[in-house]
Amino acid sequence: MADISIPGVSDKYKTNDFIEALIKKERLPLTREQESLDRYKEQQNAWNGMSQKMTALRTNTKTLYSFDNPFNNKISTSTDENAITATPGREAAYGQIKIDVVKPATADRFLSEELDKDFSIPKGKYSFQVADKTISFNWKGGKVSEFVNSLNKRGSNTIKASIVGVSNNKQSLLLESLKTGDENTLIFKDDALSFALKHGIIAKTKADFQEIGTSLEDFYSPQDEFPVPAVEQSGMPEITSKEVEWDSEENRYILPPRSGLELQLNDEILENPNNRIEFTYSTFETQDITDELNLIRTTRPELQEAGKVTYEDVTVFNDKTQVELPPVPPTLLTPITGETDFYARTADGKETQIKTASLAINEETGEKTVQVDLKNYPDIQSIVIRNRNTGEAAAVSKFTVYDSKKDLGYEAVHPVSTAGDAIIKYEGITVNRPTNKIDDVIPHVTLNVFNSTEKTATIDIKPDKESAKDALIQFVGTYNQVLAEMNILSENKPEIISELDYLSSDEQESAQKRLGMFFGDSSLRSGKSSLQSIVSGSYRWSENATITMLNQLGISTRATGSSGGYSASQLRGYLEINEKQLDKALENDLNQIKNIFGYDSDGDLIVDTGIAYQLDRQLGSWVQSGGIIANKNATLKTRIKSSETKIATLERQIDNKEAQLRSKYGQMEGTLNSLNAQSNTISNFANNGKQ
C-alpha cells in the first residue's frame, strides 16, 4: 500500500522548508524594524534615567539656596540633657540659655485597688473626660484585659489604660490621661465614676467645698412656672415647700408628692463662673394622692329639706336654700410619675431645665448626682426643684459649691502622678506651662522638659555644621552621578565605567549597554560643559567676600591632590572633597559658604545668582516640561509609534504571504499526489496484464 500524503499536513515534498526559507527573507525588514524599536525604547529609558539623576541634583541644589538651606540650621547642647533640652528654629539667635526646671508637666495616672485575675468589669456606659475631649462607650461587661483593649481603641490621644500585675493572683488597672497640665485633669463620668469610686481609683473629698441649703429656712416655695408643662392637670395641688421635711438620719430633704424647693444663690457664688453646684437625689414610692384628690373633688354635701312649721290648721314652709353646689368635674385626675424636675432660674423668671436623664445611678443607694456648672447657665439666680409626682417622694441632699477648675470633689486613692503644669525659671522669671514642650518663652526655640534640675542648666545654641557638611557631600555625589551618566551616554570608552568603582556588577552591566548610546550628541557635550563652568566659576557676593569659589571649600576636580598631574577621571569633570579643608571652611566661614550657593545681587530680596541658583536654572532647562529631555523623548515617542505601526503592517503582510504560499504549495502537493496515484494505477494494470 502506498504512503498517504495529506497536503499541508505531511511534508513529503519538503515544502515547509521552502516556505520557511521564503518567509525568512520576507522577515528581514520586520527584524530590522523590531531592532530599531528596541533601540528607540532603550534610548527613551536612557533619557528618563538621565532625567531622574538631573532631577535629584536639582532638588539638592534647591536646598542649598532656598529658605530651608542647611547653612541656617541650628543645633543645641544642654549641660543636663536628662532634665531639659532645646530644639532651635532656623531663626533662633546664637548664644547660651540658662534654665532651672522646678518641675515638669505631669498628667493624671491613677491605679485601682488590687483586683482578682478573673475580675470582670460590669457592663454600663463608661465616660472619661480630659479638658474638652470626652471618650464614652457602652461596655458589655467582661475581663479587665478586654476593657483595656476596648478603651485604648477609642482613647486616641486622650486616655490610655493598662494592667499592672501586682502578684500571681492580683492585678491593678492603670488609667492615665495623655495630656499634661493643671487643667487637663482626668474626670470620670457615668458608670466610670461609680466604678472608680467603688474600686479605689478615686474617693470623694470635701476639700474647699462650701455647703449651701443646709436648712429649710434657706429655701422658698417654687415660683410659678411658665409655660405650664403639659403633664400638669387642672385641680392638682400647687407645688410648695410646706410639706418638705429634713431627714436627720439620712441627712437629706424629703419632698413628698406635689412639693418643691427653690434655692437662691448669693453673689459670692455667682461671681465665679467656674463654680459648680452639686447635689444628689433619688425617688421612692409613697401613697398616691390621686384617689384622695378625686374623692374630694367628686363628693357633694347633702342638703336637708327646707323644713316647715304647723300651727293648728296653718302650715308655713321655709324657702329652699339658694346655695349653689360646685359642679362635678367632667374628668378625674390621673397619677403623675417620673416627673421630678430641676431648673436653673434667671432673674427675669425664665427657666432652663437641668438634664438628668443620662446621669449615672449609684447601684448601692440609687442616687443620681446633679452638677450645675454656672458657666453653662448664664444669669442664673436660683435652682428650682419640683416633685410633680403624685405617688413618688424625692430625697435631695444638701447642696455643695466648689471651683470646678480647682477641685472636682474627688481625689486619687493610688495616684502614680497627678495633673500639673511645668514650672521653669528663665532670667529669674518663673514660668508655668501645661506641656513639657514650651515654645513661647524664647523666640524660635522649643524647650523640652523632662525632669527637675539640681542646678541651673546651660543650653548652647550654635550652627549645625554637620547638616551643612552632609548637604554638600550629597550635592557632590549627585553632581558626579549626572556627569558620569553624561560621559557614559556621550562617549564610547570602556574605562569610563571601570573608573566608577562605586557601581555594582548589575549597574556596570547596565552601563555597558548605554555606553556611547548618544555618541556625538551635541546637547550632552554642551550640557556637561555648562555644568562644569558653573561649579568652577567665581561668585563675588560682596566686595568684602573672601570665599567666592567652590574650590576654596575643598571641593574641586583636584581637591585631593595628585603627584602625577591630572588623572583621566579628574579630566572627566568629577568633583572631589578635601574633608579637612571643608571642615575648616565650615567652622570659620559658614555664612560666606551659604552666599556663594545663592545670593541677591540686586537688592530685591530674591536670590538671583550663585552656584546652586545657576545649576538649578541649567538643570531646569533639561528636566522641566518642554525641556531638552522632554523634546528628545517626544521625538522618540513619535518614532516608537511609527515603528510599532510599521511592525504591525509588516507582520500582517508576512502572515498573508505565508498563507498564500502554504495554499499554493498545498495545491501543488495535491496535484503531485494525484499524479502519483494515477501512475501507480497504470503500473498495477500493466503488471496484471503480463501475468
Side-chain angles (χ1 to χ4, degrees):
M1 181 178 178
D3 293 337
I4 298 174
S5 178
I6 302 173
V9 177
S10 59
D11 195 18
K12 179 179 179 180
Y13 303 103
K14 304 298 182 182
T15 57
N16 285 334
D17 293 341
F18 293 128
I19 292 171
E20 287 297 329
L22 293 171
I23 293 300
K24 184 177 182 181
K25 184 178 180 180
E26 295 289 334
R27 286 184 181 275
L28 290 177
L30 175 62
T31 302
R32 287 195 295 269
E33 195 60 42
Q34 287 175 332
E35 290 174 351
S36 295
L37 177 61
D38 292 340
R39 185 169 63 256
Y40 296 150
K41 289 183 177 180
E42 288 173 356
Q43 290 175 352
Q44 193 177 53
N45 290 335
W47 283 122
N48 289 335
M50 184 81 259
S51 178
Q52 291 175 357
K53 288 179 170 60
M54 284 185 166
T55 300
L57 175 57
R58 190 185 186 198
T59 300
N60 285 340
T61 59
K62 278 182 178 291
T63 62
L64 293 176
Y65 77 90
S66 68
F67 175 79
D68 294 326
N69 71 80
F71 308 110
N72 285 338
N73 290 346
K74 297 176 177 66
I75 59 173
S76 68
T77 57
S78 172
T79 57
D80 192 349
E81 293 192 351
N82 291 325
I84 186 169
T85 62
T87 305
R90 297 171 58 80
E91 298 180 17
Y94 296 129
Q96 290 186 339
I97 302 169
K98 296 187 180 297
I99 298 284
D100 292 286
V101 179
V102 179
K103 63 180 289 292
T106 52
D108 279 339
R109 302 179 68 215
F110 300 157
L111 269 173
S112 72
E113 64 184 7
E114 293 185 5
L115 307 171
D116 293 334
K117 287 287 187 180
D118 59 352
F119 179 81
S120 180
I121 296 180
K123 68 177 181 178
K125 181 181 180 182
Y126 287 77
S127 301
F128 306 88
Q129 180 180 339
V130 178
D132 58 352
K133 184 69 178 292
T134 299
I135 304 298
S136 182
F137 65 102
N138 292 317
W139 170 244
K140 64 181 179 180
K143 296 180 179 178
V144 178
S145 59
E146 295 171 343
F147 179 85
V148 166
N149 292 334
S150 184
L151 177 56
N152 287 342
K153 286 179 181 179
R154 300 169 172 85
S156 184
N157 297 321
T158 303
I159 187 172
K160 177 184 175 182
S162 55
I163 298 174
V164 178
V166 179
S167 64
N168 291 335
N169 299 318
K170 295 291 184 178
Q171 61 185 349
S172 288
L173 175 63
L174 176 62
L175 295 169
E176 54 185 312
S177 164
L178 298 180
K179 294 183 179 181
T180 58
D182 284 339
E183 296 188 355
N184 293 323
T185 51
L186 175 58
I187 301 173
F188 300 84
K189 292 184 174 182
D190 302 326
D191 291 309
L193 176 59
S194 302
F195 178 85
L197 288 168
K198 184 175 181 180
H199 295 286
I201 299 176
I202 59 174
K204 265 208 164 185
T205 176
K206 294 296 182 180
D208 296 331
F209 272 58
Q210 175 188 354
E211 285 193 343
I212 58 175
T214 57
S215 169
L216 281 171
E217 296 177 355
D218 297 334
F219 294 93
Y220 303 90
S221 291
Q223 300 180 42
D224 293 334
E225 182 182 8
F226 300 100
V228 178
V231 70
E232 287 293 359
Q233 305 170 48
S234 177
M236 280 289 181
E238 66 175 342
I239 297 176
T240 71
S241 62
K242 295 178 181 178
E243 303 299 327
V244 177
E245 296 180 350
W246 171 251
D247 182 353
S248 58
E249 293 185 2
E250 299 291 338
N251 289 323
R252 59 183 183 174
Y253 296 103
I254 304 298
L255 282 66
R258 305 299 299 176
S259 65
L261 294 171
E262 181 171 355
L263 177 64
Q264 294 287 335
L265 305 177
N266 60 43
D267 293 340
E268 183 181 351
I269 295 173
L270 297 175
E271 67 184 8
N272 183 0
N274 295 322
N275 273 343
R276 174 179 292 162
I277 300 171
E278 182 176 295
F279 59 92
T280 62
Y281 84 97
S282 61
T283 58
F284 56 90
E285 292 185 1
T286 186
Q287 179 66 40
D288 197 299
I289 63 173
T290 308
D291 291 340
E292 182 181 349
L293 292 173
N294 283 330
L295 180 62
I296 294 173
R297 283 159 52 86
T298 57
T299 301
R300 296 167 59 86
E302 295 183 2
L303 300 179
Q304 297 180 351
E305 293 287 339
K308 60 183 179 178
V309 61
T310 303
Y311 179 72
E312 294 183 352
D313 294 331
V314 179
T315 299
V316 180
F317 294 90
N318 288 332
D319 290 337
K320 292 183 178 180
T321 181
Q322 299 298 315
V323 176
E324 294 186 4
L325 296 176
V328 176
T331 57
L332 299 178
L333 297 174
T334 58
I336 300 175
T337 59
E339 295 293 338
T340 301
D341 299 332
F342 304 88
Y343 298 88
R345 189 180 182 94
T346 58
D348 59 4
K350 294 181 180 179
E351 295 185 1
T352 301
Q353 188 170 2
I354 300 168
K355 302 298 183 182
T356 59
S358 61
L359 296 180
I361 301 176
N362 187 309
E363 295 180 358
E364 295 181 0
T365 64
E367 293 179 335
K368 288 186 175 183
T369 300
V370 180
Q371 293 179 338
V372 182
D373 288 302
L374 298 191
K375 63 183 179 182
N376 295 333
Y377 300 94
D379 302 325
I380 184 175
Q381 294 292 320
S382 63
I383 294 176
V384 179
I385 305 174
R386 292 186 179 92
N387 178 17
R388 306 181 193 281
N389 300 297
T390 57
E392 289 182 359
V396 179
S397 71
K398 292 180 180 179
F399 290 62
T400 54
V401 181
Y402 59 91
D403 189 324
S404 60
K405 287 193 173 182
K406 293 182 179 178
D407 191 342
L408 297 175
Y410 302 97
E411 60 183 358
V413 178
H414 306 289
V416 178
S417 64
T418 56
D421 286 348
I423 303 176
I424 64 172
K425 288 184 178 181
Y426 170 65
E427 300 291 344
I429 302 172
T430 300
V431 178
N432 294 55
R433 292 294 185 272
T435 175
N436 286 318
K437 288 190 177 294
I438 304 173
D439 58 6
D440 58 352
V441 173
I442 304 168
H444 311 295
V445 175
T446 298
L447 299 174
N448 308 302
V449 179
F450 305 108
N451 292 297
S452 301
T453 53
E454 295 182 0
K455 59 181 181 179
T456 302
T458 301
I459 297 173
D460 192 13
I461 308 295
K462 54 189 178 181
D464 186 0
K465 299 183 180 72
E466 285 301 317
S467 69
K469 181 179 179 180
D470 291 342
L472 291 174
I473 292 173
Q474 189 174 16
F475 159 71
V476 170
T478 51
Y479 174 86
N480 285 343
Q481 287 179 356
V482 169
L483 241 63
E485 190 67 16
M486 284 181 158
N487 289 331
I488 290 170
L489 295 175
S490 62
E491 299 184 36
N492 196 11
K493 299 177 180 179
E495 58 267 26
I496 290 176
I497 298 174
S498 61
E499 291 167 359
L500 305 175
D501 53 7
Y502 56 83
L503 295 179
S504 66
S505 57
D506 290 340
E507 289 172 335
Q508 287 181 352
E509 183 179 348
S510 176
Q512 289 288 351
K513 295 178 181 178
R514 302 194 306 277
L515 186 64
M517 182 177 287
F518 302 127
F519 182 75
D521 189 300
S522 61
S523 61
L524 284 172
R525 289 198 304 272
S526 63
K528 175 183 173 183
S529 176
S530 297
L531 294 180
Q532 290 176 305
S533 176
I534 291 171
V535 299
S536 62
S538 176
Y539 300 87
R540 182 162 291 279
W541 52 273
S542 169
E543 293 181 359
N544 300 322
T546 57
I547 292 183
T548 59
M549 298 181 68
L550 199 59
N551 61 9
Q552 292 177 276
L553 311 182
I555 301 174
S556 67
T557 56
R558 205 181 180 190
T560 56
S562 175
S563 58
Y566 279 100
S567 65
S569 62
Q570 288 174 331
L571 290 172
R572 301 192 205 285
Y574 302 129
L575 293 177
E576 299 175 348
I577 297 176
N578 184 320
E579 193 168 357
K580 289 184 178 179
Q581 188 177 348
L582 178 59
D583 288 340
K584 183 179 179 181
L586 288 170
E587 183 68 30
N588 301 320
D589 300 298
L590 186 61
N591 193 59
Q592 292 202 62
I593 294 173
K594 179 189 75 170
N595 287 332
I596 68 169
F597 281 98
Y599 63 94
D600 170 25
S601 64
D602 56 11
D604 63 355
L605 303 180
I606 299 174
V607 173
D608 53 21
T609 189
I611 298 171
Y613 176 83
Q614 296 294 350
L615 283 174
D616 180 25
R617 292 191 62 187
Q618 174 65 21
L619 294 167
S621 67
W622 281 80
V623 301
Q624 67 189 3
S625 178
I628 296 172
I629 293 179
N631 289 332
K632 290 184 179 295
N633 275 335
T635 301
L636 287 170
K637 185 177 180 182
T638 301
R639 291 177 179 176
I640 288 171
K641 186 175 180 180
S642 175
S643 182
E644 288 174 342
T645 302
K646 191 173 181 180
I647 287 172
T649 301
L650 289 172
E651 286 178 340
R652 286 196 301 270
Q653 291 175 352
I654 291 171
D655 290 342
N656 292 335
K657 184 71 173 179
E658 184 176 2
Q660 292 174 3
L661 289 172
R662 291 194 182 280
S663 176
K664 288 180 181 180
Y665 277 95
Q667 292 175 3
M668 182 189 72
E669 286 184 8
T671 301
L672 290 173
N673 288 337
S674 177
L675 291 174
N676 286 334
Q678 292 177 10
S679 176
N680 290 335
T681 300
I682 293 171
S683 296
N684 291 335
F685 180 77
N687 291 332
N688 290 334
K690 292 178 179 180
Q691 292 179 356

